[in-house]
Amino acid sequence: MSAPQPTSDYLLDRPGISDEARALRAELVGRAREIVPVLAANAATTEADRRVAEENITLIDDAGLFAIMKPKRFGGFETDFRTKLEVSRELARGCGSTAWATTLMNVCSWFGGLFPDQAQRDVWESVPGNRIAGVLAPSAEAVKVDGGYRVTGRWGWASGCLHAQWAELGIPVPNEHGEIVDQGLVLIPMSDLSIEDTWFVAGMRGTGSNTLVAADVFVPDHRVISLPAAVGGDYGTEHTDEALYRTAFVPAAALVLAGPQLGLAQAALELVLEKAPKRTISYTFYETQTEAPTVQLAVAEAAMLVDSAHLHAYRAAADIDAAAAAGVYPDYHARARVRADTGWAIQQAREAIRVLVSAHGASAFAEASPLQRIWRDSEVASRHAVINPSISYEVYGRSLLGITDGVTALV
């Protein structure tokens, strides 16, 4: 018995997508699917070591899955965000931490494609395989100097930093008089930073989301972009013909975080369906869970929740991918709906896992059961501030009522 696989057969896709793009998506998702068994076998080690197993990183790299958001100019695939969601989902079926770290490094490659050409060449021209971690929060101090800025600060939580060669970090941007005039995102090589081991959490333990530390690091002007400008669709790249790097900033940055949640929920559904014919329900007359209406109802509800999560995430991807392809920056209301779709998808995936854990029974919490790790990973990752469902619904509800401010700048 196996769970139905949510795939590209879902019809919610951007209009006008080419057969070539669909074929590439299928190829990349297929590559991810092939390595899921190894990721699953390494999941306990990844969690215990609090970092993604190097075998996982090597397999993902060899499959080209760190290149999906990288510009074609540097050997990347430059795929759309629907493809990124599906690749992240597949990886999470094997290991949530691996999928999360990969997802964050990939979206940071997308951020990299928003920087001026010279900055992109700094990262990828000599070493096309370089990976990027990042934290948007401006938890630093910066001083304007000739040709750039001197930056000192600490940034947590930098998912994937243990496997990255560069970092994108938020800073307050001062003028020559020390007055803060902007908020920026800067590119800094990891060799200029140190990593403080701070990631001790209940779930997603293997992401290595530690704290990055900079002490008086020089950042040249060409490796700084304005974050508020980016939120409004004004990017630093000169390559305006590249549709991927016209994608709306906040909707894209939030939506990618749904990918691992989709995969975790799918993995939980598959596991419960696989085990149900072999498990009894204690203190009942049912010889197997499969016979029990309570379990039948639970798995049906969970499957619908998983489907709902996929459908809303894919609708959001279609919205932002279509706008990018057309060269149109979505208006506030369109961006608010994507944020709401993302929150809804994550909430439905999380609820599906809760239903499945209850249906499976108390043994779901045995340390040997993958279900308890899936549950913990989902509970932790779904609390990321950028994808808070309640805030996302508030943003969308206010927009429906014609109010476009008062909650957050990240829309």
Side-chain angles (χ1 to χ4, degrees):
M1 186 180 301
S2 61
Q5 282 285 321
T7 68
S8 293
D9 292 338
Y10 278 116
L11 298 180
L12 291 175
D13 206 345
R14 61 184 169 96
I17 183 174
S18 68
D19 291 340
E20 180 182 7
R22 285 187 185 276
L24 176 60
R25 178 187 298 162
E27 168 67 20
L28 294 171
V29 173
R31 293 183 195 180
R33 186 172 297 128
E34 287 178 3
I35 63 177
V36 163
V38 179
L39 305 187
N42 289 335
T45 299
T46 288
E47 179 168 78
D49 292 348
R50 297 189 303 112
R51 62 180 294 150
V52 177
E54 286 303 320
E55 183 180 17
N56 295 5
I57 296 294
T58 298
L59 286 172
I60 293 167
D61 205 11
D62 289 347
L65 301 181
F66 284 122
I68 59 176
M69 294 273 103
K70 189 169 67 179
K72 292 179 180 178
R73 291 173 285 108
F74 301 106
F77 291 110
E78 210 172 299
T79 65
D80 59 15
F81 274 83
R82 169 67 174 269
T83 301
K84 176 162 174 44
L85 277 180
E86 293 201 33
V87 168
S88 296
R89 181 204 68 212
E90 281 304 308
L91 297 177
R93 289 179 52 239
C95 174
S97 287
T98 297
W100 184 267
T102 301
T103 295
L104 270 293
M105 284 187 278
N106 275 331
V107 78
C108 284
S109 288
W110 176 69
F111 292 150
L114 308 182
F115 279 77
D117 180 75
Q118 186 177 350
Q120 295 184 40
R121 286 188 282 111
D122 288 350
V123 175
W124 289 305
E125 190 168 55
S126 298
V127 187
N130 276 341
R131 298 184 288 270
I132 310 172
V135 179
L136 299 183
S139 52
E141 296 179 355
V143 177
K144 186 72 181 82
V145 296
D146 186 31
Y149 300 85
R150 308 293 307 190
V151 175
T152 297
R154 295 164 50 83
W155 298 265
W157 313 98
S159 301
C161 66
L162 298 174
H163 311 282
Q165 293 76 39
W166 284 77
E168 289 157 345
L169 303 168
I171 67 165
V173 177
N175 60 20
E176 293 81 356
H177 307 292
E179 302 164 333
I180 303 303
V181 295
D182 200 358
Q183 181 178 336
L185 189 63
V186 301
L187 269 165
I188 299 177
M190 287 293 295
S191 56
D192 287 347
L193 302 168
S194 60
I195 300 175
E196 187 175 329
D197 190 12
T198 56
W199 186 243
F200 298 92
V201 288
M204 286 291 179
R205 290 176 176 173
T207 62
S209 304
N210 293 302
T211 299
L212 298 180
V213 181
D216 195 32
V217 173
F218 175 71
V219 180
D221 284 324
H222 70 270
R223 284 202 236 127
V224 183
I225 60 173
S226 167
L227 201 52
V231 170
D234 183 7
Y235 301 144
T237 178
E238 299 90 343
H239 302 281
T240 55
D241 58 323
E242 296 172 340
L244 177 61
Y245 308 106
R246 298 195 297 253
T247 310
F249 188 89
V250 173
L255 180 60
V256 297
L257 302 181
Q261 297 293 326
L262 300 179
L264 289 168
Q266 182 69 25
L269 179 59
E270 291 170 1
L271 191 148
V272 170
L273 291 178
E274 177 192 352
K275 299 293 186 182
K278 309 167 190 175
R279 289 177 54 79
T280 64
I281 300 180
S282 299
Y283 307 112
T284 73
F285 297 116
Y286 294 114
E287 294 185 3
T288 68
Q289 289 186 340
T290 303
E291 301 171 17
T294 51
V295 174
Q296 296 163 7
L297 291 169
V299 297
E301 179 186 3
M304 294 303 292
L305 288 166
V306 172
D307 282 351
S308 179
H310 280 80
L311 289 166
H312 278 272
Y314 288 171
R315 180 175 76 166
D319 285 349
I320 63 175
D321 285 338
V328 175
Y329 203 79
D331 63 19
Y332 184 94
H333 184 71
R335 302 198 310 272
R337 191 177 82 163
V338 169
R339 179 149 181 174
D341 270 341
T342 302
W344 184 264
I346 286 166
Q347 190 173 49
Q348 301 314 294
R350 186 171 68 198
E351 177 64 10
I353 294 169
R354 188 196 66 78
V355 170
L356 290 163
V357 165
S358 295
H360 188 71
S363 64
F365 297 98
E367 289 187 356
S369 172
L371 262 182
Q372 53 82 23
R373 184 173 54 250
I374 290 169
W375 173 69
R376 287 186 289 105
D377 285 351
S378 173
E379 290 292 327
V380 170
S382 64
R383 266 69 181 188
H384 192 289
V386 175
I387 51 176
N388 182 308
S390 296
I391 294 297
S392 298
Y393 303 155
E394 184 179 355
V395 168
Y396 186 44
R398 289 169 70 89
S399 180
L400 287 167
L401 294 167
I403 306 169
T404 58
D405 59 12
V407 180
T408 175
L410 296 181
V411 180

